[in-house]
Amino acid sequence: MYSSIEPGQSKYVDEAENFCRGILESLRRKLCDKHKISAEIRKLGDGDTRLLVQNDARPIAFDYFLVIHEANNLRKTRKIRRLKEKIRKDLDEVLLEKDSTLGKMEDMGYVENSTSALTSPPLLLVEHTFFKFYFDLSVMTEDDEGFSRLVRKKKKGTTGKDAYSFDRVPNSSEIFEKYDSITAQSGGTELVRDLYLKAKNRQLKGKNKGYGAPHTSFVCFVEAVNEAQSRLAQKNASRKHR
């Protein structure tokens, strides 16, 4: 069962988050310098408005999104597969190159290539080795209609290769701008955080419907933001009619 981690709840969260951010900024620069791939790093909220949950006593997972620019030519599964493999290999290199005074990997394993994200090995802070965490990095594109996420679809049987595609996330247009607008309102942050937590727990139980499968953190985020926007609009409309 997921529970929310409030800002300031753990004094190690900011340090761990900064460590992850440093890794991913190094990855972004490497992709640009090495492969001429332009991208930006995004996450769910920032500071007091961030959305962070923990599954029982498991390590804290930080969710990040690598949004690829100029992705119009990424249509064929072969090109998408190559893109993800470049990102995975470069992320491995960055993790192994990272200064040991800032942090270290508990297990020097490779980045895991899951169906919808790249998952780091468990990470530790050198001065707080009891505090374990990791991050998930989803690869995405954005256009006027919203976001699409890179998905690996496993082939059944022993023949053939996995298929890769960018799948549209419904109702995701300007979702970060919507989130900023909601969190600027009184009670907005708490509302989205509550709805996001509920969506994550439905995901855990396999009960999410209506936004596609599998339900990733980003899809849960989109669902929570749109629901919060609808509730606040209804609330504001009822006030006007009083």
Side-chain angles (χ1 to χ4, degrees):
M1 182 71 70
Y2 285 103
S3 58
S4 289
I5 297 178
E6 305 292 335
Q9 183 172 329
S10 172
K11 62 182 179 181
Y12 309 114
V13 168
D14 287 345
E15 192 173 344
E17 190 171 48
N18 288 335
F19 177 58
C20 292
R21 184 77 188 201
I23 290 172
L24 295 174
E25 282 296 331
S26 295
L27 170 66
R28 185 190 62 78
R29 290 193 295 270
K30 183 180 283 286
L31 289 170
C32 182
D33 296 341
K34 188 176 177 181
H35 306 292
K36 307 304 180 185
I37 295 173
S38 176
E40 63 180 301
I41 304 294
R42 294 192 183 184
K43 61 188 179 75
L44 303 184
D46 193 19
D48 290 344
T49 66
R50 69 182 168 206
L51 300 177
L52 188 60
V53 297
Q54 184 174 16
N55 188 358
D56 294 329
R58 297 178 186 178
I60 292 175
F62 295 93
D63 290 298
Y64 288 91
F65 310 99
L66 182 71
V67 182
I68 305 295
H69 299 155
E70 300 177 0
N72 293 332
N73 63 332
L74 294 173
R75 302 298 182 189
K76 296 182 179 180
T77 188
R78 172 173 50 87
K79 289 186 176 182
I80 299 173
R81 182 189 297 113
R82 287 178 180 174
L83 171 67
K84 193 171 187 184
E85 187 60 16
K86 287 176 182 177
I87 296 170
R88 186 193 66 78
K89 287 182 177 179
D90 283 357
L91 184 53
D92 273 333
E93 291 179 8
V94 170
L95 282 166
L96 292 171
E97 293 167 357
K98 195 65 178 175
D99 190 336
S100 61
T101 62
L102 298 177
K104 65 177 181 178
M105 286 182 286
E106 179 190 39
D107 194 359
M108 302 294 276
Y110 286 104
V111 171
E112 180 185 349
N113 179 14
S114 68
T115 56
S116 59
L118 294 169
T119 302
S120 77
L123 301 167
L124 303 172
L125 296 170
V126 167
E127 296 181 355
H128 315 292
T129 56
F130 57 87
F131 185 79
K132 298 180 181 180
F133 59 98
Y134 66 95
F135 62 83
D136 285 327
L137 179 67
S138 298
V139 182
M140 309 182 75
T141 62
E142 182 184 13
D143 58 25
D144 292 340
E145 296 181 15
F147 288 87
S148 297
R149 57 194 179 92
L150 198 162
V151 177
R152 176 170 64 93
K153 300 169 183 176
K154 294 183 179 180
K155 290 286 188 181
K156 295 181 180 179
T158 57
T159 60
K161 295 182 178 180
D162 293 347
Y164 288 76
S165 64
F166 278 102
D167 289 2
R168 176 74 66 191
V169 179
N171 306 310
S172 60
S173 178
E174 298 184 338
I175 197 66
F176 287 99
E177 290 80 4
K178 290 180 183 179
Y179 180 62
D180 290 341
S181 176
I182 290 169
T183 55
Q185 300 179 50
S186 176
T189 299
E190 293 75 11
L191 176 59
V192 177
R193 187 173 287 141
D194 180 61
L195 292 170
Y196 178 70
L197 180 61
K198 289 178 179 177
K200 288 290 290 183
N201 280 317
R202 286 197 303 271
Q203 170 202 38
L204 196 62
K205 297 175 182 178
K207 294 182 178 181
N208 273 340
K209 297 180 181 180
Y211 277 77
H215 242 50
T216 63
S217 293
F218 183 73
V219 176
C220 290
F221 171 69
V222 170
E223 181 179 343
V225 169
N226 284 320
E227 175 65 19
Q229 184 184 52
S230 177
R231 291 192 185 187
L232 288 173
Q234 292 176 3
K235 183 179 179 180
N236 292 333
S238 64
R239 286 178 176 175
K240 290 180 180 180
H241 289 87
R242 288 179 182 176

